[in-house]
Amino acid sequence: QVQLVESGGGLVQPGGSLRLSCTASGSIVSINAMAWYRQAPGKQRELVAGITSGGSTNYGDSVKGRFTISRDNAKNTVYLQMNSLKPEDTAVYYCNAGVVVRILPRDYWGQGTQVTVSS
């Protein structure tokens, strides 16, 4: 059994910053790519940022230059540093990871953490 637990969400004013964390725990052999997705009310879930086990990153167009994804492989943790936040960044943010438990990787999701950008 694998669990992903997110933390760091909350209410922030426009222009502010937040840092999200997501830690994987359980019977983990290794973790491949990790990513952050978000879903705003009435919208589809979208990719925010992803990072491979080797550290290569990719970002959604709307967050490029403002958000930074990183990971600590020793801690099975992925981070999302969010700067210059805008009201349109308001959403539930979900952590995703490709986790190898026995042989093949399987997708796991966190429970989500709310980020609200408002004055």
Side-chain angles (χ1 to χ4, degrees), residues 87-108:
E88 50 264 44
D89 294 318
T90 296
V92 178
Y93 284 69
Y94 297 92
C95 174
N96 170 265
V99 180
V100 178
V101 175
R102 291 186 176 86
I103 299 176
L104 296 176
R106 175 187 163 187
D107 253 7
Y108 288 89

Side-chain angles (χ1 to χ4, degrees), residues 37-117:
Y37 287 76
R38 68 186 182 186
Q39 188 166 20
K43 294 188 177 181
Q44 289 189 330
R45 189 172 296 190
E46 64 174 353
L47 174 69
V48 177
I51 184 167
T52 68
S53 57
S56 296
T57 60
N58 65 292
Y59 295 91
D61 288 341
S62 62
V63 306
K64 285 179 181 176
R66 300 188 298 123
F67 291 10
T68 302
I69 189 170
S70 61
R71 64 190 283 174
D72 185 332
N73 291 331
K75 297 180 179 179
N76 291 335
T77 299
V78 63
Y79 305 97
L80 185 68
Q81 178 66 44
M82 305 185 292
N83 298 329
S84 303
L85 282 161
K86 305 175 181 180
E88 50 264 44
D89 294 318
T90 296
V92 178
Y93 284 69
Y94 297 92
C95 174
N96 170 265
V99 180
V100 178
V101 175
R102 291 186 176 86
I103 299 176
L104 296 176
R106 175 187 163 187
D107 253 7
Y108 288 89
W109 292 87
Q111 80 286 354
T113 185
Q114 177 70 45
V115 172
T116 302
V117 185

